[in-house]
Amino acid sequence: MRPTSVLNISGRRYRLGPRTWIMGVINITPDSFSDGGLYFDEGRAAAHGLEMAADGADIIDIGGESTRPGSMPVDVEEEKRRILPVLRRLRHETDVLISVDTTKAAVAEAAFAEGADILNDTSALRLDPAIAASAKAAGAAVILMHMQGTPQTMQLNPHYGDVVREVKAFLEERLAAAEAAGLGRDRLAIDPGIGFGKTTEHNLALLDGLEALTGLGRPVCVGVSRKAFIGKILDLPADERLEGTIAAAVLAAARGAHILRVHDVRAVKRAAAVADAVLTRSVRPEGTEEAEKAGHVV
Ligand code: HH2
């Protein structure tokens, strides 16, 4: 069974473990690999966020810059222009936790000012040295993700001796760096960065070996949703990877993932609830107070 881990988010302590948390993704971008262009419109993005919250997402993750292999960087003003109006509307209309998927301190700071609770930094605080201080000042929790290389170069020739061991060592080092920057360990979560500088075999090894990461004592977030390795296995395009996503997500939960980052909230939430019942050998009917409490404020 997944170890329980407490995560401090905006000064509240959440118990993660008994119930899998679902993080719903909104990419307000023209070029994201699976939903690029779909939510580039503010109204559609906000409506989609509200729908995911109603479907039971614990966190809504808002991003304004694609990290797909070969994607082009976006400047600060454009990234803010994309995400802030949507964030503002979600903050006003729901009390769901909101994370901002960015590597830039100025974007993160603006998002925290609008009520974002979590920084989801795919560079694990490496790209912008000021971002740790922004998160610290805001009281935000931080997800530190592993990536080999940069989105521009990461899929050219990913290489590892022992991928699980190396990703674990990287995350251990980034946890220490975050702590040295003043972020308490109770505010930190980790993510192996499925698809970020990894071949299909590397992704499979990481998912199978995920339990090694729970050994770091922090909540583990995993993003398998619609990713290329599923397409490789099934020979299917991104819009036909739901079943593959559910299989990989449930397996990740069984191997120790506390948070699943997905595009298809309703489907993965249902699958994870069944997986949780097996893992805990107990039934907490969805939508009941008991189910809510199983993963909430301590
Ligand atoms: N994957 C993507 C983006 N952000 N953050 C975390 N913590 N973990 C992930 O696995 C992860 C992430 C890539 O997926 P997506 O946002 O759908 O695509 P794009 O980067 O093209 O917008």
Side-chain angles (χ1 to χ4, degrees):
M1 180 53 202
R2 193 170 37 202
T4 293
S5 192
V6 171
L7 186 62
N8 182 337
I9 307 174
S10 306
R12 299 175 84 186
R13 290 161 52 80
Y14 293 83
R15 191 186 329 108
L16 277 79
R19 178 173 71 73
T20 306
W21 272 26
I22 305 295
M23 177 191 244
V25 182
I26 317 180
N27 288 311
I28 309 159
T29 60
D31 57 345
S32 287
F33 80 93
S34 85
D35 58 355
L38 263 184
Y39 306 111
F40 204 41
D41 171 81
E42 179 193 323
R44 283 171 72 172
H48 184 56
L50 291 174
E51 188 189 356
M52 291 196 292
D55 282 343
D58 297 280
I59 304 170
I60 304 289
D61 188 43
I62 304 181
E65 178 177 52
S66 173
T67 49
R68 72 186 295 170
S71 58
M72 293 312 291
V74 173
D75 73 38
V76 167
E77 289 313 312
E78 172 62 11
E79 201 177 326
K80 287 204 287 192
R81 198 189 60 72
R82 291 179 183 181
I83 66 170
L84 295 182
V86 178
L87 171 43
R88 204 171 290 137
R89 279 176 63 169
L90 288 181
R91 187 67 306 154
H92 279 278
E93 292 178 41
T94 113
D95 57 6
V96 70
L97 292 167
I98 298 176
S99 64
V100 56
D101 187 342
T102 189
T103 57
K104 302 184 187 78
V107 175
E109 218 163 281
F112 297 142
E114 294 290 351
D117 308 279
I118 300 169
L119 169 65
N120 176 23
D121 185 349
T122 56
S123 83
L125 310 178
R126 291 176 301 159
L127 262 188
D128 186 339
I131 204 166
S134 311
K136 181 182 177 204
V142 179
I143 300 172
L144 302 166
M145 196 197 79
H146 175 272
M147 182 186 325
Q148 186 180 85
T150 67
Q152 286 71 47
T153 61
M154 65 190 183
Q155 291 310 111
L156 296 180
N157 182 28
H159 58 277
Y160 300 85
D162 179 333
V163 67
V164 176
R165 193 193 291 251
E166 287 170 43
V167 167
K168 182 176 179 183
F170 169 92
L171 292 171
E172 199 162 17
E173 186 273 319
R174 295 318 297 160
L175 283 169
E179 267 194 305
L183 290 158
R185 200 159 260 250
D186 64 336
R187 286 165 59 176
L188 305 173
I190 53 176
D191 186 322
I194 297 297
F196 286 86
K198 284 140 192 134
T199 63
T200 292
E201 290 69 26
H202 294 142
N203 292 320
L204 299 178
L206 276 168
L207 286 172
D208 188 36
L210 202 63
E211 265 157 333
L213 299 189
T214 62
L216 293 174
R218 300 308 308 144
V220 176
C221 174
V222 174
V224 293
S225 194
R226 305 180 185 170
K227 283 189 176 167
F229 78 96
I230 297 171
K232 275 241 174 84
I233 297 166
L234 299 175
D235 192 21
L236 287 172
D239 63 352
E240 289 191 52
R241 295 179 189 161
L242 176 60
E243 299 88 344
T245 295
I246 292 172
V250 163
L251 190 115
R255 292 278 203 275
H258 300 80
I259 305 171
L260 300 174
R261 181 184 182 277
V262 293
H263 301 86
D264 303 283
V265 167
R266 187 183 307 183
V268 179
K269 171 112 185 153
R270 287 177 180 172
V274 175
D276 288 346
V278 176
L279 292 170
T280 61
R281 300 186 188 184
S282 65
V283 176
R284 297 187 187 91
E286 276 301 286
T288 60
E289 201 180 328
E290 206 192 345
E292 278 310 300
K293 272 201 210 131
H296 263 116
V297 181
V298 181

